[in-house]
Amino acid sequence: MLLQSETTYIDSDMISGEEIHLAVSSLAKSFDGRGVILDDVSFSIKKGDAVALIGGNGSGKSTLLRCCLRLVEPDRGEISLLGMPVTSLRRSPLRALRSRVGLIFQRHNLVPRLTVLSNVIHGSMNSGWGFRRWRQGFAPAEIREQAIGCLEKVGLPHLANSRADQLSGGESQRVAIARALMQKPDFIMADEPVASLDPKVGREVMDLFVNLIKTENITFLFVSHDLEHALTYSNRLMAMKDGVLHLNGETKDYQTADLHEIYG
Amino acid sequence: MKSTAELSGIQNYKNLPNRFELPSAWKFFLYFLGICFFIYSLSGSGLSGGDLVRGVPNMARLVGEMTPPEFSRIRSISLAMLQTFQMALVGATIGIIISFFLAVLASRRNSPHPALYYSTRFIIAFCRSVPDLVWAVLFVASVGLGVFAGTLTIIIDTIGFCGRFFAEAMEEVDQGPEEALQTIGATRLDIVMSAVVPAAMPSFVNSSLFAIEKAVRSSVVLGLVGAGGIGIELKVAMDMFEYQTAATIILSIFLLVIAVEQFSITIRSRFM
């Protein structure tokens, strides 16, 4: 059972396929002045997995996510994302690959002065003539309908014409999720997606994520500082400490006390 | 008797930081040098209280000769004012449009190549550093006397002004939405048009309105060097000692500038 009343969890037995969606091998990254951020990180994520990535501040979680999409260039190592060799892709195929991965940010990163509908339509930026995705007014009818459909999935079709900078934190993050859904993603990565939300709204957003990955069969990797969320909303759990992958296993094998060591 | 700090439980810290940082000896020397140069410049600027006092009666006489304003040439003055405004509006608008494209290339984050970045920065700085009257003289010599030279001058002057501010506005916008679109697979052009431009739009509008106000003021004086507009009318009136007509022209200029500024304030308050 995927969704279980108040306590939502994903059972590993329900994971349908064995196809590897993300494989990272010997990944390393350091920054001038900050030293080693990622040190020989290796792991793989199967299609349909919901993976929580935890770790203290500066442990390399966000850098790892950004390296997976090559928003940050790794120093060495191999990354295979949705079967594509990320580290060796040229600009155009890299853009095509990125368009299949929804990345949700802690700060939501909507374009503030545009409408919610325009922001959601941006999700289809790489699927046609770019200028027809700049504003909802330029977009073809079917794209606008798809965008409204995505807003319905996150429960906000009534806010289509509202400006993005007039939304509450929870609404704003839901719009960011709708934008990611507009990409028709095979994979969603979320970097502390509920860190700026209150606990109730944070839980609603995480429930929404879990429902969506169930219905859309999307692989999900999320970074969280909330250990309860990490244990509740994932079937696999990874923990980073000082740039090294310390834990990597089935979520059901861990208790909250085990995870506190990571922050010690 | 206990002090207030002791009574309130606040500890007395002896090593509190200074309220003000004293400049280093080198900085102090530079400040001193700057002040000395300013005092020296006062003598070079020709400031003279005596001349000012002696000039007051002449100014009063001139004002007396200007009143009451002479409205018999109001029709030709109105046409010249309209021409001045058209020159300013068209010149500023074309300048704003060109500035936008140049500013994209002149903003470090959006420019496709460093060579383009530095070359557009140079062009914009060159347009800005040469005064508008010098541009007007050059264009009058190139395309002849008249409004066209004035319009070209305003285009160049606007590029120098807006190009810089547009580029700075684009560099200052929050990078979060840009990163979000980058992860979606958007091209650089898509990112600029979808994320950067909407975020920088208030600044664009603000700078554009200032550019139009500036263009209106510039277009008035460009006529003095033969670049069309009301300026030539003012020069002729002053040269012919028709001070009452000159007063009408100055009044018209004042009304035009105030009207444009009020329009600009209204638009700005609605858009911001």
Side-chain angles (χ1 to χ4, degrees):
Chain A
M1 186 174 171
L2 188 89
L3 197 67
Q4 193 178 62
S5 62
E6 288 299 305
T7 314
T8 310
Y9 69 91
I10 296 165
D11 194 317
S12 293
D13 298 335
M14 295 296 288
I15 305 303
S16 52
E18 290 293 311
E19 185 184 342
I20 299 295
H21 262 186
L22 176 63
V24 172
S25 170
S26 306
L27 188 68
K29 178 69 189 176
S30 41
F31 291 109
D32 290 340
R34 287 180 57 197
V36 177
I37 302 298
L38 296 175
D39 186 10
D40 199 28
V41 174
S42 300
F43 64 90
S44 63
I45 293 175
K46 289 182 299 193
K47 180 182 179 183
D49 267 353
V51 182
L53 177 60
I54 62 168
N57 290 329
S59 60
K61 309 179 300 294
S62 297
T63 305
L64 175 60
L65 244 59
R66 279 162 172 73
C67 280
C68 289
L69 287 169
R70 239 175 84 196
L71 295 170
V72 170
E73 286 289 342
D75 294 339
R76 61 170 195 279
E78 299 295 325
I79 302 166
S80 169
L81 179 59
L82 301 172
M84 305 287 279
V86 175
T87 40
S88 58
L89 284 180
R90 295 178 71 84
R91 190 180 297 179
S92 180
L94 179 63
R95 276 208 303 268
L97 175 64
R98 283 172 177 168
S99 71
R100 295 171 61 197
V101 181
L103 180 56
I104 309 286
F105 300 85
Q106 180 187 342
R107 288 173 56 229
H108 320 158
N109 287 349
L110 301 179
V111 182
R113 294 181 62 82
L114 296 188
T115 62
V116 163
L117 190 58
S118 289
N119 269 284
V120 176
I121 284 171
H122 286 168
S124 64
M125 194 72 89
N126 203 30
S127 66
W129 286 101
F131 81 93
R132 299 207 70 182
R133 311 293 191 267
W134 291 350
R135 302 284 170 93
Q136 64 95 7
F138 306 154
E142 69 269 23
I143 293 293
R144 299 174 86 239
E145 284 166 13
Q146 282 174 28
I148 291 289
C150 291
L151 281 172
E152 278 171 358
K153 285 177 188 170
V154 298
L156 298 176
H158 57 287
L159 293 180
N161 282 325
S162 302
R163 261 175 56 159
D165 49 3
Q166 292 170 347
L167 304 176
S168 69
E171 289 167 344
S172 183
Q173 191 61 296
R174 282 166 184 268
V175 173
I177 295 169
R179 179 175 63 185
L181 290 177
M182 194 67 189
Q183 294 176 240
K184 300 188 180 82
D186 298 307
F187 203 129
I188 286 184
M189 297 182 187
D191 190 359
E192 299 184 43
V194 298
S196 62
L197 308 179
D198 69 48
K200 180 174 176 289
V201 176
R203 192 168 177 82
E204 285 171 7
V205 169
M206 289 307 294
D207 283 340
L208 177 66
F209 266 126
V210 170
N211 279 322
L212 288 170
I213 63 166
K214 174 193 171 192
T215 52
E216 311 277 330
N217 195 25
I218 298 168
T219 309
F220 185 37
L221 170 62
F222 68 99
V223 171
S224 180
H225 280 302
D226 188 319
L227 300 184
E228 187 196 327
H229 283 179
L231 290 169
T232 307
Y233 294 106
S234 68
N235 68 295
R236 278 202 39 220
L237 198 139
M238 299 196 300
M240 302 279 299
K241 191 174 183 182
D242 301 329
V244 176
L245 194 60
H246 258 245
L247 296 179
N248 183 8
E250 302 274 313
T251 306
K252 64 188 179 191
D253 296 337
Y254 298 105
Q255 301 295 318
T256 311
D258 305 323
L259 305 183
H260 276 300
E261 287 177 23
I262 295 299
Y263 295 91
Chain B
M1 187 176 166
K2 285 185 176 179
S3 70
T4 314
E6 282 170 331
L7 284 169
S8 60
I10 299 170
Q11 292 179 1
N12 280 321
Y13 290 102
K14 289 178 181 171
N15 296 324
L16 280 171
N18 294 330
R19 289 182 186 275
F20 303 102
E21 288 293 324
L22 284 175
S24 64
W26 174 241
K27 274 188 183 170
F28 185 81
F29 175 69
L30 286 178
Y31 293 148
F32 178 72
L33 216 60
I35 291 167
C36 287
F37 185 73
F38 179 76
I39 292 168
Y40 171 67
S41 300
L42 283 176
S43 65
S45 66
L47 274 184
S48 162
D51 284 352
L52 186 64
V53 171
R54 278 190 292 279
V56 169
N58 291 335
M59 183 65 77
R61 185 176 50 78
L62 186 63
V63 171
E65 288 178 21
M66 281 181 158
T67 48
E70 167 62 57
F71 289 100
S72 63
R73 287 181 54 206
I74 191 69
R75 186 178 159 77
S76 64
I77 291 171
S78 300
L79 283 173
M81 286 302 296
L82 178 65
Q83 196 183 50
T84 304
F85 180 66
Q86 288 172 327
M87 183 169 82
L89 185 68
V90 172
T93 306
I94 294 173
I96 288 165
I97 293 167
I98 296 172
S99 296
F100 171 76
F101 292 106
L102 286 178
V104 174
L105 302 175
S107 66
R108 196 182 290 273
R109 271 157 52 185
N110 302 308
S111 194
H113 196 275
L116 272 173
Y117 167 76
Y118 285 111
S119 53
T120 44
R121 281 262 160 185
F122 174 78
I123 290 167
I124 291 168
F126 187 68
C127 290
R128 189 173 58 250
S129 55
V130 178
D132 52 359
L133 276 179
V134 176
W135 282 119
V137 170
L138 290 173
F139 284 126
V140 166
S142 315
V143 300
L145 291 166
V147 192
F148 183 46
T151 307
L152 288 175
T153 301
I154 288 170
I155 291 173
I156 297 294
D157 200 39
T158 305
I159 290 172
F161 178 78
C162 283
R164 177 186 171 183
F165 286 112
F166 285 5
E168 284 178 3
M170 283 194 261
E171 285 186 357
E172 284 166 8
V173 299
D174 177 20
Q175 291 190 48
E178 288 183 53
E179 192 183 21
L181 295 189
Q182 194 185 352
T183 62
I184 288 167
T187 62
R188 195 66 231 168
L189 178 65
D190 291 336
I191 291 170
V192 169
M193 297 308 293
S194 303
V196 180
V197 170
M201 191 53 80
S203 187
F204 286 176
V205 171
N206 209 18
S207 301
S208 300
L209 290 171
F210 276 126
I212 291 172
E213 287 176 36
K214 187 173 177 290
V216 169
R217 284 194 295 270
S218 290
S219 62
V220 169
V221 292
L222 293 181
L224 298 176
V225 293
I230 193 72
I232 190 73
E233 298 279 341
L234 181 61
K235 186 174 186 302
V236 169
M238 293 297 280
D239 289 349
M240 303 292 285
F241 306 108
E242 295 173 355
Y243 294 129
Q244 288 171 299
T245 306
T248 309
I249 294 170
I250 291 168
L251 203 62
S252 308
I253 292 168
F254 172 74
L255 290 175
L256 177 67
V257 171
I258 291 293
V260 170
E261 284 185 2
Q262 283 304 312
F263 172 77
S264 171
I265 289 167
T266 308
I267 297 283
R268 205 173 283 134
S269 63
R270 286 191 183 176
F271 198 84
M272 299 302 169

